[in-house]
Amino acid sequence: MLKKVRSLIGLDIGTNCVKAVELTQAGSDLVITGYGQSEILSEGSKADAILDVLHSNAFRTRRLATAVSGKSVIVRYLTMIQMSEEDLQNAIKFEADKYIPFDVEEVVLDCQRLEERAEGMASGALNENEMRVLLVAVKRTLVDDHVALIQGIGLTPEIIDVDSFALGNAFEVRSLLSPGVEQDDKAVALIDIGANKTNINILRGTTSFFTREIYLGGDDFTTAIAKRLGVEAHQAELLKRDPGENFEQLRQAVMPAIDDLGNEIHLSFDYFENQFDREVDEVYLSGGGSRLPILEEAFEKIFEKRTRSWDPTENLKINSESVDVGKLKANGPQLAVAVGLASRIRKE
């Protein structure tokens, strides 16, 4: 019997770079069959960067999943009485009005009943007649602008997700394909450091318990290096990735920015741990900003938790005929959101 083959491109439109990863599923196999990325030279050149990625690389499909983020995206974790899926969809609009700072008519709403994994998480424990519900509200103008950008190049996204949840989906695939045995009751913090913001998603198993965006990121590291070493931004960016003999100067330059970001992340951990009486067990770093050589060690000292970088492509098969494997692996840490978006092919 022939395997059904389906493909989906995860398109991550960041501040400084567009990343695209295509995953193809044939039966139970999940393979990277396309990959590309392109720098965004200015706000007005995003469409050109997307076109460059899609036209300069071999992709099997034009089916897209993409994501939104920012202050117009509101995520709330609600406790509601048990009800049917149909009743939940009817009730959520009235519940949302209590929790979002926008007029309900101005937003696109979605909700999902969460798998209950709160045993041992005291404040998160529910009564028999309660359930946990994830509420996401996005200002309609943000969605419309995002869709218009992609439609402007002749494509329409089939799925619009949120960055932090795409991050969680990428980690779920990594865990699913991991050759080792993962403890599914661990509380794991995923920290994705982009150019101007950092996404946090705290998971237990495959269930998200906390998300947050912090408006600090890799550009803050670059600015600190440029000021301290007296170099241009592009030179600082190169030093950030490979400091060479300037390692000690780089460390001194970026530590205040690392401390600022680390302290904000620590506040998020404190909130989660107080809410659920459950410590974060491990921290996983991704995103372009995570490639700073001293970051892993510095964060481990700040958090006093095992902290390591991870590559969302590490356990995935790669079609070397259509993908530049060297380039993919060199940029792997930046691709968590794109891989997570493309992994939605598993849930179709």
Side-chain angles (χ1 to χ4, degrees):
M1 186 172 177
L2 293 176
K3 295 179 179 179
K4 185 177 181 181
V5 178
R6 298 170 300 163
S7 300
L8 183 66
I9 298 172
L11 183 67
D12 176 17
I13 306 171
T15 304
N16 296 340
C17 186
V18 173
K19 287 84 68 178
V21 173
E22 179 185 71
L23 288 180
T24 296
Q25 185 168 37
S28 60
D29 289 336
L30 203 58
V31 183
I32 298 178
T33 52
Y35 156 70
Q37 64 182 70
S38 181
E39 298 298 316
I40 298 172
L41 301 178
S42 66
E43 183 66 23
S45 68
K46 281 186 178 180
D48 292 336
I50 298 169
L51 276 173
D52 180 59
V53 168
L54 296 178
H55 288 171
S56 301
N57 300 279
F59 293 102
R60 298 184 177 192
T61 185
R62 283 297 182 261
R63 299 180 59 217
L64 296 176
T66 185
V68 292
S69 63
K71 296 177 181 178
S72 294
V73 180
I74 306 297
V75 177
R76 296 288 183 266
Y77 296 81
L78 312 182
T79 299
M80 299 177 65
I81 61 170
Q82 287 282 357
M83 64 183 73
S84 69
E85 191 64 33
E86 182 180 352
D87 288 342
L88 174 60
Q89 295 299 326
N90 292 329
I92 199 65
K93 186 172 181 179
F94 299 100
E95 284 295 312
D97 195 42
K98 305 173 189 176
Y99 297 101
I100 62 175
F102 312 124
D103 189 315
V104 174
E105 299 302 323
E106 296 178 355
V107 300
V108 178
L109 287 175
D110 198 4
C111 65
Q112 180 178 333
R113 185 196 307 259
L114 292 174
E115 176 189 354
E116 185 46 50
R117 304 184 52 84
E119 57 278 10
M121 300 179 74
S123 300
L126 302 178
N127 297 326
E128 287 185 7
N129 66 335
E130 293 178 328
M131 62 181 182
R132 295 181 73 244
V133 175
L134 173 67
L135 167 68
V136 180
V138 184
K139 288 199 79 170
R140 195 175 300 276
T141 52
L142 176 63
V143 175
D144 290 345
D145 289 346
H146 199 78
V147 171
L149 172 65
I150 297 171
Q151 286 181 332
I153 62 171
L155 299 169
T156 299
E158 296 189 7
I159 298 168
I160 299 179
D161 207 336
V162 173
D163 279 3
S164 55
F165 298 129
L167 181 62
N169 285 335
F171 194 78
E172 181 181 344
V173 169
R174 178 254 183 203
S175 300
L176 181 69
L177 300 177
S178 176
V181 178
E182 293 283 343
Q183 296 179 13
D184 64 2
D185 64 340
K186 280 185 179 179
V188 173
L190 307 179
I191 312 295
D192 191 74
I193 305 169
N196 62 8
K197 66 179 174 63
T198 295
N199 277 306
I200 303 174
N201 190 348
I202 300 179
L203 307 173
R204 189 174 180 217
T206 60
T207 302
S208 173
F209 281 83
F210 175 90
T211 62
R212 182 188 174 199
E213 286 185 347
I214 298 170
Y215 292 94
L216 296 169
D219 283 354
D220 294 281
F221 302 155
T222 303
T223 299
I225 295 167
K227 286 183 178 178
R228 182 65 179 257
L229 275 65
V231 297
E232 297 294 330
H234 71 279
Q235 293 173 292
E237 187 68 32
L238 295 173
L239 286 169
K240 185 171 71 174
R241 300 178 186 183
D242 183 11
E245 61 185 19
N246 297 293
F247 183 85
E248 184 57 31
Q249 287 178 289
L250 176 131
R251 188 188 67 78
Q252 293 177 11
V254 298
M255 277 310 301
I258 289 175
D259 285 339
D260 288 344
L261 178 56
N263 290 336
E264 284 295 326
I265 295 170
H266 213 304
L267 288 174
S268 296
F269 291 175
D270 286 345
Y271 177 86
F272 167 81
E273 291 170 355
N274 290 332
Q275 185 80 7
F276 293 102
D277 194 23
R278 177 71 156 84
E279 287 192 11
V280 171
D281 296 305
E282 294 182 348
V283 179
Y284 287 83
L285 306 178
S286 60
S290 71
R291 297 193 291 184
L292 185 69
I294 67 171
L295 191 64
E296 190 174 318
E297 178 184 354
F299 273 174
E300 190 155 88
K301 289 180 180 177
I302 293 171
F303 305 146
E304 297 182 337
K305 303 178 189 296
R306 183 183 181 189
T307 301
R308 52 181 163 164
S309 299
W310 68 290
D311 177 355
T313 71
E314 64 186 334
N315 295 324
L316 289 163
K317 296 178 180 178
I318 304 170
N319 184 337
S320 59
E321 294 182 2
S322 58
V323 175
D324 183 335
V325 178
K327 183 179 178 182
L328 176 78
K329 288 301 181 181
N331 293 292
Q334 291 182 277
L335 304 177
V337 171
V339 168
L341 289 169
S343 75
R344 292 285 294 267
I345 194 73
R346 296 173 50 238
K347 302 180 181 181
E348 290 187 340

